[in-house]
Amino acid sequence: MRLIVARCSVDYSGRLNTHLPLATRLIMIKADGTVAFHRDIQHAPLNWMSPPCTLTVEQPDEESASAGVIEHWRVTHAKTGDALLVRIYEVLHDSAHELGVDPGLQKDGVEADLQRLLAEQVDVIDPRATLVRREFPTAIGPVDLLLRNPDGGTIAVEVKRRGDIDGVEQLTRYLELLNRDPHLAPVAGVFAAQEIKPQAKVLAGDRGIRCVILDYEGMKGTESGAPRLF
Amino acid sequence: MRLIVARCSVDYSGRLNTHLPLATRLIMIKADGTVAFHRDIQHAPLNWMSPPCTLTVEQPDEESASAGVIEHWRVTHAKTGDALLVRIYEVLHDSAHELGVDPGLQKDGVEADLQRLLAEQVDVIDPRATLVRREFPTAIGPVDLLLRNPDGGTIAVEVKRRGDIDGVEQLTRYLELLNRDPHLAPVAGVFAAQEIKPQAKVLAGDRGIRCVILDYEGMKGTESGAPRLF
DNA sequence: AAATCAATCTCGTAC
DNA sequence: GTACGAGGTTGATTT
């Protein structure tokens, strides 16, 4: 990885056009060809180019040179034709480092974990409900959980980490479809998430969909095979 | 901005839990407190902490020390309680740089630009239509463009850069609402985007919504006050 | 390879 | 300060 601190301006042309005025920034050039421009706040780069791309250094034209530009860096994407033109005015730091391969990030607590835990603890939804299956297939995609409703029919559960309006729309489409199946109807809907946004709660209410807030840490605490003591 | 290349492991605890095994990485510490961990590929950091957060350096406990850890860095979010524990095994580079304030990124060609251009060129939708107004207000949010339909009633236009199923759902909700207004009904729907995904096109067709592909560069070419020559 | 979907999404802006 | 929506979203998984 090469780290350069430089006064520069950057023009991007691709899916849109952008311009970064002259300022001092960190330029990262990674081993896979990635080029990224960082300011001194926030963690996202202001601009970047993803691999596969190539960087070529050019002498500035006369106009640029007279404006103080010492080099032009042209970064071109090999496939899409997206292009960056970097005007380098001054290099304040330039170092290179061998990082090697990174073993990558291990995660726990994403949506897949929530769904797995909830499938093992469907009593969180309804103490008398039983699991029919996870990822119940339909023509428009799998329903996260399908439960047998002790009061008759079934319950379709949509699991999200954060519940917004899109999730309610998605569950609504599943419910329309599932309710046409006489083996399953009537199908009740449950929207289960660690957090549900107000608009989503309102829309769910309008459509007769019940909302359930999930406590991941609590559910994880009861995950172990041992049943609760009391 | 402080740039550190170090052999380290990182544990994050917050909205989820994550672990980064021991490896050599770039650690960025920005002026606003942001801490980010980069590997040598891709532009996104493997792990990070957003401000407001504080970094404290601690001596490693005996167990860590015997494993080769020379320092513990604890990064704690001031409000959410999210926490990072960084185990530093070896520092290979450490430098600090004054970047100053960045003027920020200037963009051209985002959704707002599309909407503005289309408002000036509604003939792209229908050669005889005329603009009623942009951002036409409704109880559930503003409709991007409302046009007078020369064949009677009005046309509601939803503008997106990339059209997917969500945009069709959104326009559908607007149409339901607008069609209840006798001053506007009948309201036809138009879904306008630079690119429309197949599923969105199918859903729009089912609902009688017309799809229009927008050519941003072409529309920009006719933007200037001068009318076309032919 | 294309499409679909989650994300510690990030980041801006309007309310 | 919170909520909402766009993004050169990115990145992983599935078809």
Side-chain angles (χ1 to χ4, degrees):
Chain A
M1 184 183 296
R2 189 170 159 205
L3 300 172
I4 298 145
V5 176
R7 292 201 307 126
C8 62
S9 73
V10 185
D11 286 274
Y12 165 75
S13 168
R15 279 163 283 188
L16 51 59
N17 298 316
T18 71
H19 175 68
L20 276 175
L22 175 59
T24 304
R25 305 190 172 91
L26 168 69
I27 308 175
M28 296 173 57
I29 305 178
K30 294 193 174 186
D32 64 347
T34 297
V35 181
F37 301 84
H38 281 267
R39 54 179 162 177
D40 212 356
I41 60 169
Q42 299 179 342
H43 84 256
L46 279 163
N47 218 327
W48 69 93
M49 186 69 83
S50 301
C53 62
T54 55
L55 188 156
T56 56
V57 178
E58 305 171 359
Q59 289 307 308
D61 54 47
E62 204 167 303
E63 186 186 340
S64 285
S66 66
V69 177
I70 57 173
E71 271 181 352
H72 278 185
W73 293 4
R74 208 173 283 278
V75 185
T76 313
H77 194 278
K79 295 188 172 179
T80 62
D82 291 20
L84 287 176
L85 175 59
V86 188
R87 292 184 175 84
I88 303 286
Y89 288 76
E90 186 184 4
V91 174
L92 304 168
H93 172 92
D94 190 343
S95 63
H97 312 274
E98 287 294 325
L99 266 52
V101 178
D102 198 291
L105 186 66
Q106 298 161 16
K107 297 185 182 186
D108 171 47
V110 293
E111 184 184 299
D113 299 312
L114 263 184
Q115 190 195 115
R116 180 181 46 77
L117 271 183
L118 190 57
E120 294 168 357
Q121 303 178 32
V122 294
D123 56 302
V124 168
I125 304 291
D126 184 316
R128 292 152 57 231
T130 53
L131 181 68
V132 176
R133 73 165 287 185
R134 282 175 64 184
E135 301 285 349
F136 182 87
T138 78
I140 56 172
V143 176
D144 288 340
L145 300 179
L146 193 71
L147 313 185
R148 180 62 56 188
N149 190 338
D151 300 323
T154 51
I155 303 172
V157 185
E158 178 67 30
V159 182
K160 293 282 180 204
R161 218 170 50 77
R162 295 192 176 180
D164 61 8
I165 213 163
D166 291 352
V168 179
E169 295 284 16
Q170 192 179 344
L171 179 53
T172 302
R173 290 194 293 271
Y174 287 138
L175 289 171
E176 276 180 33
L177 200 68
L178 294 172
N179 267 311
R180 295 180 199 162
D181 186 336
H183 296 292
L184 304 175
V187 185
V190 169
F191 192 52
Q194 284 184 282
E195 179 196 342
I196 298 181
K197 294 190 177 172
Q199 272 206 353
K201 203 169 288 187
V202 171
L203 186 63
D206 275 2
R207 302 195 173 163
I209 292 169
R210 187 158 63 93
C211 291
V212 173
I213 303 293
L214 302 175
D215 168 18
Y216 181 71
E217 292 302 323
M219 290 168 71
K220 208 176 167 188
T222 55
E223 177 184 24
S224 64
R228 282 161 294 188
L229 290 175
F230 300 106
Chain B
M1 184 182 297
R2 188 168 159 208
L3 300 172
I4 299 144
V5 177
R7 292 202 306 127
C8 62
S9 73
V10 184
D11 285 274
Y12 165 74
S13 169
R15 281 164 283 189
L16 52 61
N17 298 315
T18 70
H19 175 68
L20 277 175
L22 175 60
T24 304
R25 307 189 171 90
L26 168 68
I27 307 175
M28 297 173 56
I29 304 178
K30 293 193 174 184
D32 64 348
T34 298
V35 181
F37 301 84
H38 282 267
R39 55 178 162 177
D40 211 356
I41 60 169
Q42 299 181 342
H43 82 256
L46 279 163
N47 218 326
W48 68 92
M49 185 70 81
S50 301
C53 63
T54 55
L55 187 155
T56 56
V57 177
E58 305 170 359
Q59 290 306 308
D61 54 48
E62 203 167 305
E63 187 185 340
S64 285
S66 66
V69 177
I70 58 173
E71 272 181 352
H72 277 184
W73 293 3
R74 208 172 285 277
V75 185
T76 313
H77 194 278
K79 297 187 171 181
T80 62
D82 289 22
L84 286 176
L85 174 60
V86 188
R87 292 184 175 84
I88 302 287
Y89 288 76
E90 184 184 5
V91 174
L92 304 167
H93 173 92
D94 189 343
S95 62
H97 312 274
E98 287 294 324
L99 265 53
V101 178
D102 198 291
L105 187 66
Q106 297 161 16
K107 296 184 181 185
D108 171 49
V110 293
E111 187 186 299
D113 299 312
L114 264 183
Q115 191 195 114
R116 179 181 47 76
L117 271 183
L118 191 56
E120 294 168 359
Q121 303 178 32
V122 295
D123 57 302
V124 169
I125 304 291
D126 184 315
R128 291 153 56 231
T130 53
L131 181 67
V132 176
R133 72 166 287 186
R134 281 175 65 184
E135 301 286 348
F136 182 87
T138 78
I140 56 171
V143 177
D144 289 338
L145 300 179
L146 192 71
L147 313 184
R148 179 64 52 190
N149 190 340
D151 299 324
T154 51
I155 303 172
V157 185
E158 178 69 29
V159 182
K160 293 283 179 202
R161 219 170 48 79
R162 292 189 179 181
D164 62 9
I165 212 165
D166 292 351
V168 179
E169 296 284 14
Q170 192 179 342
L171 179 54
T172 303
R173 290 194 294 270
Y174 288 136
L175 290 171
E176 277 180 32
L177 200 65
L178 295 172
N179 267 311
R180 295 179 201 163
D181 185 335
H183 296 290
L184 304 176
V187 186
V190 169
F191 192 52
Q194 284 183 283
E195 178 196 342
I196 298 182
K197 292 188 179 174
Q199 271 205 354
K201 201 169 289 188
V202 170
L203 186 62
D206 276 1
R207 300 194 175 163
I209 293 169
R210 187 158 63 93
C211 291
V212 173
I213 302 295
L214 301 175
D215 169 16
Y216 182 71
E217 291 303 322
M219 290 169 69
K220 208 176 167 186
T222 55
E223 177 183 22
S224 62
R228 282 160 295 185
L229 292 176
F230 301 105

